[in-house]
Amino acid sequence: MEKSETVANEDDTLQALVKPIPKSLQDKFACARPSSSRAKDVNAHITVELDKLATTYKSKNDTWRAHGYQKAISAIRNYPKEITSREEALKIPGVGERLADKVAEILESGRLQKVAEVCEGEEAETLKLFMGVWGAGPSTAQAWYTQGLRTLEDVCTRATLTRHQQVGIRLYEDLNTRIPREEVAEIEAYVRKAAGELVHGLVVEVCGSYRRGKPTCGDVDILITHPDGCSHEKLFRPLLTHLKQSGFLTDDLVYQEQNGNQQKYLGVCRLPGKERKHRRLDIIVVPYAEFAPAIMYFTGSAHFNRSMRLLATKKGMSLSEHGLRVGIVRQGREKLNEGQLLDTPSEESIFTHLGLQYRPPQERDH
Ligand code: TTP
Ligand code: MG
């Protein structure tokens, strides 16, 4: 009893360090709203066109424009009614004058001239092709294009490829095919069984788009921890060796990336049996104390995470896959202190600390 009071008082003291922001501002954050379900996506004819722009700007390394469109797409997806006019679009938070013009153009003509200009030229098509090579980001894609390369064959013969990119080219078709949920579940079961043979009592969760309920996934993001707070330490390397020996892991991309106390493996796997495709697999092993912030982060979406982190920043806090801190002083974007770590035993507790209503993973698909 006495102990829980101490914790409660400590929590109250830390909670007092949270900078309040007006509710009207808080409500503007995507993370304060549920993402709409697909069934309610009545403005898909609009978001499909805007999404082409967002994807192309991303491949051109224009992150600022790409995020701007992503934000508008998310806002429009969450709008519950079919948009019928420019004025109606303009009333949606996140949609400004220029975007409303684009919505009006789509409503009138069913398409967007800018999509033809920005997304349909030879350069845009080639950059999209090159961005599909695992390990090639926008800068590499652009460099290959500038070098005069136009096809994957050109890249194979004339570019100097990193080890990742060699895997990306060799498995181009497989790695650019989305994975049905059912197969993700099979991959999880395979990893869970292998991990369970090494250490008992592990918690194994598939995060990413799978946990958000998507019917298909780009890759498989598996998070592993152990409730006793220490047994996870014995798992990482033996598990990878085990999965490699059985032939399940076929290619390593990043063998071990140390991120604080978290360990991350990025690779390629293939289930046993005929006609199986190679699939991208991430395995992240985290200490139990970081489980909630880690599972929040790896569940995403990336847009939802950006919104959460920005809200935390506005409140003088800082959110990452390692934890939630309070009492952060910033000069511009630079943090001047470490702040204090809040107790986050569950995802719910992170929402509560940020003054948000809890959203289950399916409602974070922004
Ligand atoms: P991804 O596997 O890249 O994304 P995803 O699982 O949501 O979608 P996909 O079906 O294409 O695999 O990353 C997993 C999570 O990691 C993502 O949902 C949120 C987090 N993340 C970020 O917050 N920012 C990022 O830039 C990336 C790449 C991931
Ligand atoms: Mg994923």
Side-chain angles (χ1 to χ4, degrees), residues 162-223:
T162 64
R163 207 173 47 77
H164 295 177
Q165 292 159 357
Q166 286 170 16
V167 176
I169 295 258
R170 178 163 47 84
L171 303 177
Y172 191 90
E173 288 307 319
D174 278 9
L175 300 188
N176 280 287
T177 312
R178 292 190 66 83
I179 317 169
R181 280 188 76 73
E182 298 70 30
E183 190 179 336
V184 176
E186 279 184 74
I187 292 173
E188 183 213 6
Y190 193 99
V191 174
R192 182 190 292 276
K193 182 165 175 291
E197 282 161 15
L198 299 168
V199 177
H200 290 294
L202 293 165
V203 176
V204 179
E205 288 270 0
V206 189
C207 306
S209 46
Y210 179 85
R211 190 161 180 254
R212 300 199 307 278
K214 306 294 274 185
T216 64
C217 306
D219 65 2
V220 184
D221 307 286
I222 298 188
L223 188 67

Side-chain angles (χ1 to χ4, degrees), residues 134 187 191 205-207 219-224 236 240 249 253-254 257 263-269 279-285 298:
W134 204 87
I187 292 173
V191 174
E205 288 270 0
V206 189
C207 306
D219 65 2
V220 184
D221 307 286
I222 298 188
L223 188 67
I224 308 181
F236 192 71
L240 298 180
L249 292 179
L253 297 166
V254 177
E257 197 174 76
Q263 291 165 299
K264 189 170 186 179
Y265 169 84
L266 313 182
V268 179
C269 69
R279 304 300 199 182
R280 275 275 302 109
L281 170 68
D282 293 356
I283 298 178
I284 303 118
V285 177
F298 290 109

Side-chain angles (χ1 to χ4, degrees), residues 90-358:
L90 205 47
K91 286 194 194 124
I92 303 173
V95 176
E97 295 279 348
R98 277 161 58 186
L99 210 112
D101 287 341
K102 294 195 176 62
V103 171
E105 191 187 328
I106 298 169
L107 291 179
E108 275 166 31
S109 66
R111 58 194 300 275
L112 207 48
Q113 183 57 30
K114 198 159 180 87
V115 168
E117 286 163 22
V118 177
C119 315
E120 287 168 10
E122 189 207 26
E123 180 174 355
E125 299 286 348
T126 313
L127 290 179
K128 212 189 304 169
L129 175 79
F130 290 170
M131 285 276 289
V133 177
W134 204 87
S139 313
T140 308
Q142 189 66 60
W144 288 343
Y145 186 82
T146 309
Q147 214 182 306
L149 313 182
R150 294 293 179 268
T151 63
L152 293 181
E153 177 80 30
D154 290 348
V155 172
C156 250
T157 50
R158 291 167 49 201
T160 313
L161 299 175
T162 64
R163 207 173 47 77
H164 295 177
Q165 292 159 357
Q166 286 170 16
V167 176
I169 295 258
R170 178 163 47 84
L171 303 177
Y172 191 90
E173 288 307 319
D174 278 9
L175 300 188
N176 280 287
T177 312
R178 292 190 66 83
I179 317 169
R181 280 188 76 73
E182 298 70 30
E183 190 179 336
V184 176
E186 279 184 74
I187 292 173
E188 183 213 6
Y190 193 99
V191 174
R192 182 190 292 276
K193 182 165 175 291
E197 282 161 15
L198 299 168
V199 177
H200 290 294
L202 293 165
V203 176
V204 179
E205 288 270 0
V206 189
C207 306
S209 46
Y210 179 85
R211 190 161 180 254
R212 300 199 307 278
K214 306 294 274 185
T216 64
C217 306
D219 65 2
V220 184
D221 307 286
I222 298 188
L223 188 67
I224 308 181
T225 188
H226 197 291
D228 73 5
C230 61
S231 293
H232 70 282
E233 288 168 10
K234 294 181 279 192
L235 182 72
F236 192 71
R237 281 197 170 259
L239 174 62
L240 298 180
T241 307
H242 189 23
L243 292 174
K244 219 173 269 188
Q245 277 166 356
S246 70
F248 175 74
L249 292 179
T250 62
D251 296 271
D252 300 328
L253 297 166
V254 177
Y255 194 79
Q256 175 167 17
E257 197 174 76
Q258 200 81 28
N259 174 5
N261 292 322
Q262 303 187 3
Q263 291 165 299
K264 189 170 186 179
Y265 169 84
L266 313 182
V268 179
C269 69
R270 188 167 54 166
L271 284 163
K274 281 201 180 127
E275 307 284 317
R276 290 294 199 169
K277 286 191 184 344
H278 291 85
R279 304 300 199 182
R280 275 275 302 109
L281 170 68
D282 293 356
I283 298 178
I284 303 118
V285 177
V286 306
Y288 201 61
E290 296 185 2
F291 184 44
I295 197 169
M296 276 277 305
Y297 176 84
F298 290 109
T299 298
S301 68
H303 180 64
F304 178 84
N305 286 354
R306 272 195 298 277
S307 163
M308 270 279 210
R309 280 199 303 268
L310 187 63
L311 177 64
T313 307
K314 290 264 184 271
K315 295 188 164 196
M317 302 162 97
S318 143
L319 176 65
S320 75
E321 63 269 44
H322 299 288
L324 178 62
R325 293 180 165 269
V326 74
I328 306 279
V329 183
R330 288 181 173 85
Q331 195 166 49
R333 302 182 78 180
E334 193 194 345
K335 284 187 219 155
L336 298 182
N337 65 343
E338 284 289 293
Q340 280 171 279
L341 191 64
L342 288 169
D343 191 24
T344 50
S346 62
E347 290 180 283
E348 283 85 347
S349 68
I350 298 174
F351 282 85
T352 306
H353 283 307
L354 288 166
L356 291 168
Q357 184 187 328
Y358 175 70

